[in-house]
Amino acid sequence: MITVKEIYSYIDTFAPYDTQESWDNSGLNIGSFYREVKTVGFALDATLDVIHKAFEKKCDLIITHHPIIFKPLSYIYDKNPAYSAIYRDIAILSAHTNWDACDGGVNDILAKKIGLKNIEKISEKELSIVRTGKTNLDFSSFVNNLNLSLDTKTLCNTVNRKPENIAVCGGSGGSLVEDLYNSGIDTLVTGEAKHSEIIQANNLNMNLFICGHYETEKISMPVLKSKIEDKFSNLDCFLLDDKLSKLQR
């Protein structure tokens, strides 16, 4: 018998939960550690659509990237995904910033996906989630490569310099612009950034490529699924596509 706790403990060996950011809520969000698991669904977010698909496939557990609960809930009503998961008796386990930062996790996967060479981790603790690398492509070719490799429409700021020292941060990495600039980075590839962060990158003469939160992280879920399948060969595992995750760009 395989339990939620066994799956949690295995994820903890390669993406330790004690490395998650202080504001994060990775781990078991809904259900019991002692729940027997036969079928697992994987998704970036536990939306109502994902939970419905998981129920159709008779999933005992959904493993997500983003926690279904970030902050304490004042109430849970029938259109809340947490209500839907509890009602359908589906456990939800998340691996968020611990999966972002670990070796072989989200940002290593993203760096390889867009074809970076000489991929490294920044030594500064506050930037250890980021990966850096090099490319031989000019500005236009690099943007085209991002669009093709991530199936997206990249939004760019107005600097238009040749990418040389590149950093990648899946999801929301705009807040790292200044720290990355101070570390010698001239180009940041991320999922989303605030207007003020785009202006800041322009002022620092940094390329800022915004490729979509969903697009920069969804590529990691098949990898996580494969790791779980390789460890627990008796589990039935499914990727649960979410029609609401990829917004029109």
Side-chain angles (χ1 to χ4, degrees):
M1 183 179 78
I2 300 168
T3 64
V4 172
K5 179 65 174 178
E6 289 178 81
I7 296 171
Y8 170 94
S9 297
Y10 175 60
I11 294 173
D12 194 48
T13 64
F14 61 82
Y17 279 99
D18 63 5
T19 65
Q20 68 179 294
E21 298 290 336
S22 59
W23 48 263
D24 197 6
N25 193 36
S26 290
L28 182 62
N29 294 152
I30 291 175
S32 168
F33 273 126
Y34 305 104
R35 167 73 181 271
E36 181 179 4
V37 180
K38 296 180 180 179
T39 306
V40 184
F42 293 79
L44 203 66
D45 297 275
T47 64
L48 288 172
D49 181 58
V50 162
I51 293 168
H52 177 71
K53 289 176 179 176
F55 181 70
E56 288 183 330
K57 293 185 177 296
K58 299 181 180 180
C59 292
D60 308 294
L61 172 68
I62 301 172
I63 297 178
T64 66
H65 183 45
H66 299 128
I68 191 173
I69 300 171
F70 268 111
K71 298 177 180 179
L73 300 174
S74 298
Y75 56 89
I76 300 178
Y77 61 102
D78 61 352
K79 296 300 182 182
N80 188 304
Y83 176 98
S84 182
I86 293 167
Y87 182 79
R88 289 170 170 79
D89 193 24
I90 301 173
I92 298 181
L93 175 65
S94 62
H96 188 208
T97 53
N98 55 319
W99 177 231
D100 284 326
C102 73
D103 292 341
V106 172
N107 288 314
D108 277 316
I109 295 164
L110 176 58
K112 292 177 182 177
K113 184 71 173 178
I114 66 173
L116 295 190
K117 308 298 182 185
N118 304 320
I119 299 169
E120 296 180 348
K121 181 188 296 187
I122 297 180
S123 58
E124 290 92 336
K125 183 178 180 181
E126 64 274 12
L127 295 175
S128 61
I129 196 171
V130 173
R131 296 297 183 268
T132 65
K134 304 285 188 179
T135 183
N136 295 323
L137 301 177
D138 60 21
F139 181 91
S140 295
S141 298
F142 189 73
V143 173
N144 289 336
N145 177 63
L146 290 176
N147 290 338
L148 289 172
S149 59
L150 299 178
D151 187 23
T152 189
K153 295 180 181 178
T154 299
L155 306 178
C156 311
N157 64 339
T158 60
V159 173
N160 295 358
R161 64 183 290 185
K162 184 181 186 300
E164 294 181 354
N165 298 314
I166 303 162
V168 301
C169 182
S172 183
S175 63
L176 303 176
V177 164
E178 185 172 3
D179 287 338
L180 289 171
Y181 171 79
N182 291 334
S183 294
I185 296 299
D186 58 62
T187 299
L188 171 60
V189 177
T190 190
E192 61 178 284
K194 295 178 181 178
H195 178 70
S196 60
E197 294 161 351
I198 296 171
I199 292 174
Q200 185 181 38
N202 275 10
N203 290 338
L204 295 172
N205 197 36
M206 282 181 66
N207 290 319
L208 180 57
F209 299 129
I210 303 170
C211 302
H213 199 125
Y214 173 73
E215 288 82 358
T216 56
E217 293 184 332
K218 70 170 184 177
I219 55 176
S220 75
M221 299 314 291
V223 178
L224 185 56
K225 172 177 173 285
S226 293
K227 292 178 77 70
I228 298 300
E229 285 177 317
D230 290 345
K231 177 65 175 179
F232 303 99
S233 59
N234 291 335
L235 289 179
D236 289 326
C237 297
F238 299 94
L239 288 172
L240 305 172
D241 293 330
D242 180 10
K243 65 182 179 182
L244 300 178
S245 288
K246 186 173 182 179
L247 302 179
Q248 185 69 39
R249 291 172 63 80

